[in-house]
Amino acid sequence: MSPETVRLIVGVLFVLLVLSFVGSIVYGRKVVRTEVTDAVFGNPVRALGGWYWVITGVCSILLLWFYFSWDAARAYFPNSANEMCQVARVDSELNALRSSFPMQSRLLRSTSFLDREGTQIENARRQISKSDIDPALRDQYLAAADTVQAMLLTRASAESLSAENKTAIDELARKIDEATARLADPAFPGPATEAEIKAAAEQPAWGEGVKKEIPDIPNTDRGRKFLKISEEMSAITADFTKIRNLDDDFIAEVKSLSDELKGLQTSGDDAEETKTLTKSLDKILKRIDDGNIFPPAALDPIENAMKRFNAEQSEQKGSLKILDALAFPGGEIRAGSTACTEQGSGRWLPKPSDTLTSLIEISDPTVGFKTVPLLWYEWKPASEMLAFFIPDWVADLVPGEYPRHTASGVIDANLKTKVLNFATGNYPSFSIPVPAGHLWDSIMRVLAGLFLGIVLGVPLGLFMGLSRFAKGFFDPLIELYRPVPPLAWAPLILTIFGINDDGKIFLLFMVAFAIMVISARTGATGTQLSKIHAAHSLGASNRQIIRKVILPNSLPEILTGIRIAIGVCWGTLVAAEMLAGTTGIGFIENVARKQSNYEIIWVTIILLGLLGLLFDLIMRWIINRTIPWRGKG
Amino acid sequence: MSDLVAAGLDMTFPMPDGDSVHALKDVSFTLKQGELLSVLGPSGCGKTTLLNLIAGFLLPTGGSLSLGGEEINGPGVNRGMVFQQGALFEWLTVAENVDFGLRMKGMKKRQTRGKVEEWLEIVGLQGFGDTPTYQLSGGMQQRVALARCLINDPDLILMDEPLGALDALTREKMQSLVLKIWKETGKTIMIITHSVEEALLLGERLFVMAPRPGRLHKEYHLPFAEWGLQKDLRDVKAEPEFSANRDEILSMIWNMEEEIMGGNA
Ligand SMILES: Nc1ncnc2c1ncn2[C@@H]1O[C@H](COP(=O)(O)OP(=O)(O)O)[C@@H](O)[C@H]1O
Ligand SMILES: [Mg+2]
């Protein structure tokens, strides 16, 4: 699907969602008003029905998703992101300049430097006073600290600013004003060139291509204007960072003081301490040497020019400001060195349309994920299928010996060979289609683990509910392993059984087994004695009582246990697949995580949720069908 | 003849704290085949224990019990049981509940169908065969329990307060049903109740039991069951002899309760 089609679908869908959201609320309120409601609070009947509130809930989730992932913004304002990208470039170029003034930061940069270095010098003084070096030496250090402070303070005096710096500052302010004028000029930068138009048209659209980032070649006049200004601002910022409040005298002074400090270092007992003291004062000196502290009003021309520029930039952004606030919630578009990127929820919350596209992409059996389809079928020889159920050792049971090759190198097959071939599926046969793929693998693992858990757990649970020996003997075994989180077992089990299906199925079996044992046991112990008495006096044998009375009587607990076990197995499986393996939905998520492919991660999350819900619905249906008497006995 | 013979029955329950409860002491009686016995007594006097012993759910700590000359040492199909709350198998339909005993003997559903219909008709539940039991009212559930017990053709039918949980009207109908079944099948029936009227109506013989330890206190031979087969039960209750007996037994039980209270105080 082309990006345009996707945008169109998203756009229509968004409107439909808003309409159903509003519609269902209106309908719901109408129903509330017309309904003859029971005035008794706490009556559970009040919670029955209300499909319209389901619609409201689903719509609001989807709307939030569309909105905060900026899918709606992409559908309705695909060009605005491109324009905002250009604005972001201006902002990114001006970052250094603006943070020198109370625009992006609270304090003027010189002010905060002075403040910080003052504190540093104070700390150094304290360090010197506390040190147990020779008192004379200590005095010398204190004197040096005083000098450093004095030098720091000279930078704040108006005289420190050199004439060249004054002109450079005025020159820069003028350049900024010129840029501001161009920004305000409706004719700037003139019509786009053929090349520019072509480049803009050929770039991938927003959400298209591998990186799915925002197209960064401007395709509107406003965008081109901001791009041009950002280039200008890049030069201005470079010039600005070159202006340093330094002169030769000052540099020489710093140098000599630094030398003096090095001279104070002694080599005797105080060697270590003097070294640190010199270092801490020297560090402050090095920073003063950067010339970042200016007299209070020295940079005013630039600051004022910047204020005018900011006002004009805001003016020129115009409708973009509102768009930015309304259509791009929870983040902003930021210009990096190479591309413009979404930041905030637009980045980490995958867009519904991208998620669906990813899902459709990997649902294609010829593509799949890592060459394995999501859910498809493959042709397998029927012999292999059959061999799966026949253990190979049946061949060993056949009397006789396996054949040896003769001197001429011929191997004569005997009955044993034939049975072995049959057991291993090593004979020609027709092929049958069998389901395959990541989802199928995951589901089969859960079902296999669950099946084993039920088949072994239910009888043991019933036995434990009926026999003191069984309860006493097995209780400690089960109660000791059950509270351990399944994932704590995973490394051990995957080592023993291998990373293929065996290990995972065994892990799931362990999880399901404990749950099934406990629920079957609860069911068995909960059988009313009178029912068992009745069955006895109707002539039932012990076996019949277990099969015809205790088992059906425990069905509610057993089915509830299965329902819980499915949920827990599902969760455990995904975690186990993340640890090891090459197929399964957890494997997909793990690979996607390593690739930072948020769309695929989101796809797996949604698939997991939907499949879990499906399992639960099936279980609920089975429960309603098989034990309708529950709660009515 | 399959008479029930109890000789010097003694039942002591050991308690977890080392004490023991003397639930029954030296209970001896003989119940002839075809007799209708009702057992009455204050709560806790060992009525259920006595019934459980006869059913074979409990083994006596002293004395002996035999039915038709055979010692009772476990549950058996010759003794059918009806409990206060149906104890029906709610996962089965009415018909499946009724033929449960037959199926346990290995009979197939289609073999039992005729008998099930027959019994359902006798207890007044024709047409309810496929209904799940949880959809039935309390009275209907007791009818199913009766049919389930009777289809096995037991020699002795034991009922532990079978009508205790029913409303007055349903109860009256069920009392008639019990009498009708007794008459038509000629079974031995032992019925436990805490209602004096019911004990009088449903007892050719009536045992009044006394508590601490549980023992047989007094025995009556009564004509009301026979009357009830011919007359309306309400008319039987209106007879002066009925009221006289009722008042006598009521005050007897009342005194027993007083004693218990007094003993406790
Ligand atoms: N399984 C038991 N264990 C201990 N005590 C019991 C048990 N069954 C009954 N009892 C005691 O035996 C006495 C008689 O009980 P029960 O036969 O149920 O009386 P009833 O049916 O006449 O009300 C009571 O005191 C009761 O607490
Ligand atoms: Mg009782």
Side-chain angles (χ1 to χ4, degrees), chain B residues 100-165:
Chain B
F100 187 88
L102 298 181
R103 282 188 293 120
M104 292 304 108
K105 281 189 216 150
M107 283 170 82
K108 294 276 166 296
K109 262 190 199 172
R110 78 193 126 70
Q111 294 170 296
T112 64
R113 193 176 300 150
K115 261 189 133 176
V116 170
E117 304 269 288
E118 206 177 292
W119 277 107
L120 284 183
E121 190 161 345
I122 292 175
V123 299
L125 281 179
Q126 54 271 59
F128 280 94
D130 294 329
T131 316
T133 51
Y134 62 87
Q135 290 176 0
L136 299 178
S137 68
M140 288 158 109
Q141 290 189 0
Q142 286 310 72
R143 286 164 196 262
V144 176
L146 260 177
R148 179 177 73 176
C149 159
L150 288 164
I151 203 170
N152 255 14
D153 195 24
D155 299 331
L156 173 61
I157 298 169
L158 305 166
M159 302 192 190
D160 190 356
E161 306 195 6
L163 313 180

Side-chain angles (χ1 to χ4, degrees), chain A residues 527-541 544-545 548-550 552-553 626 628-629 632-633, chain B residues 52 57 75-77 79-81 83 85 87-91 97 100-106 134 148-149 152:
Chain A
T527 320
Q528 275 169 281
L529 187 59
S530 63
K531 280 187 193 136
I532 294 172
H533 276 169
H536 267 300
S537 45
L538 289 170
S541 67
Q544 281 171 325
I545 284 186
K548 305 281 180 180
V549 180
I550 293 173
N553 192 72
T626 48
W629 69 83
K632 293 168 190 157
Chain B
N52 280 341
F57 303 142
V77 280
R79 284 147 291 145
M81 187 90 181
F83 299 86
Q85 303 272 309
L88 296 181
F89 308 123
E90 61 264 60
W91 50 92
N97 263 284
F100 187 88
L102 298 181
R103 282 188 293 120
M104 292 304 108
K105 281 189 216 150
Y134 62 87
R148 179 177 73 176
C149 159
N152 255 14

Side-chain angles (χ1 to χ4, degrees), chain B residues 39-252:
Chain B
V39 181
L40 190 64
S43 176
C45 70
K47 302 184 295 287
T48 301
T49 307
L50 178 61
L51 211 65
N52 280 341
L53 284 171
I54 298 170
F57 303 142
L58 292 172
L59 294 178
T61 46
S64 71
L65 254 178
S66 64
L67 180 64
E70 264 180 61
E71 178 123 15
I72 291 174
N73 48 14
V77 280
N78 55 352
R79 284 147 291 145
M81 187 90 181
V82 177
F83 299 86
Q84 175 169 17
Q85 303 272 309
L88 296 181
F89 308 123
E90 61 264 60
W91 50 92
L92 302 177
T93 62
V94 168
E96 287 166 336
N97 263 284
V98 172
D99 68 2
F100 187 88
L102 298 181
R103 282 188 293 120
M104 292 304 108
K105 281 189 216 150
M107 283 170 82
K108 294 276 166 296
K109 262 190 199 172
R110 78 193 126 70
Q111 294 170 296
T112 64
R113 193 176 300 150
K115 261 189 133 176
V116 170
E117 304 269 288
E118 206 177 292
W119 277 107
L120 284 183
E121 190 161 345
I122 292 175
V123 299
L125 281 179
Q126 54 271 59
F128 280 94
D130 294 329
T131 316
T133 51
Y134 62 87
Q135 290 176 0
L136 299 178
S137 68
M140 288 158 109
Q141 290 189 0
Q142 286 310 72
R143 286 164 196 262
V144 176
L146 260 177
R148 179 177 73 176
C149 159
L150 288 164
I151 203 170
N152 255 14
D153 195 24
D155 299 331
L156 173 61
I157 298 169
L158 305 166
M159 302 192 190
D160 190 356
E161 306 195 6
L163 313 180
L166 303 181
D167 62 280
L169 210 69
T170 317
R171 200 169 175 155
E172 213 161 89
K173 283 190 192 151
M174 292 294 289
Q175 286 165 351
S176 304
L177 179 64
V178 172
L179 283 180
K180 182 182 120 186
I181 287 171
W182 174 58
K183 183 77 209 162
E184 285 178 5
T185 61
K187 302 262 174 225
T188 323
I189 298 181
M190 177 168 173
I191 185 164
I192 286 178
T193 172
H194 56 234
S195 148
V196 177
E197 274 191 358
E198 191 167 279
L200 290 171
L201 279 174
L202 298 185
E204 241 187 335
R205 289 171 75 188
L206 165 62
F207 288 167
V208 179
M209 288 180 71
R212 305 185 165 213
R215 65 206 129 105
L216 297 188
H217 182 69
K218 195 157 184 194
E219 186 186 339
Y220 293 83
H221 288 267
L222 302 163
F224 308 118
E226 284 294 342
W227 294 1
L229 286 167
Q230 285 126 34
K231 280 198 269 185
D232 194 280
L233 287 186
R234 246 167 275 178
D235 296 338
V236 177
K237 282 190 220 167
E239 298 283 338
E241 205 182 335
F242 188 90
S243 341
N245 270 303
R246 184 183 58 197
D247 294 345
E248 183 191 329
I249 295 173
L250 261 179
S251 62
M252 188 190 302

Side-chain angles (χ1 to χ4, degrees), chain A residues 66-134:
Chain A
F66 273 108
Y67 182 59
F68 277 95
S69 66
W70 301 359
D71 212 358
R74 190 167 77 183
Y76 294 115
F77 315 104
N79 280 332
S80 59
N82 175 279
E83 283 186 330
M84 271 150 61
C85 163
Q86 314 308 327
V87 177
R89 284 190 156 145
V90 174
D91 289 335
S92 127
E93 294 298 352
L94 285 174
N95 206 14
L97 236 171
R98 281 181 179 149
S99 56
S100 300
F101 300 107
M103 293 173 185
Q104 277 181 15
S105 45
R106 289 206 180 80
L107 295 176
L108 191 67
R109 194 136 73 128
S110 298
T111 312
S112 60
F113 264 126
L114 263 177
D115 186 30
R116 204 167 65 207
E117 298 308 336
T119 318
Q120 291 294 327
I121 293 170
E122 233 8 84
N123 287 346
R125 275 217 187 87
R126 218 169 297 133
Q127 202 183 359
I128 296 167
S129 320
K130 269 200 293 188
S131 68
D132 50 5
I133 52 173
D134 185 54

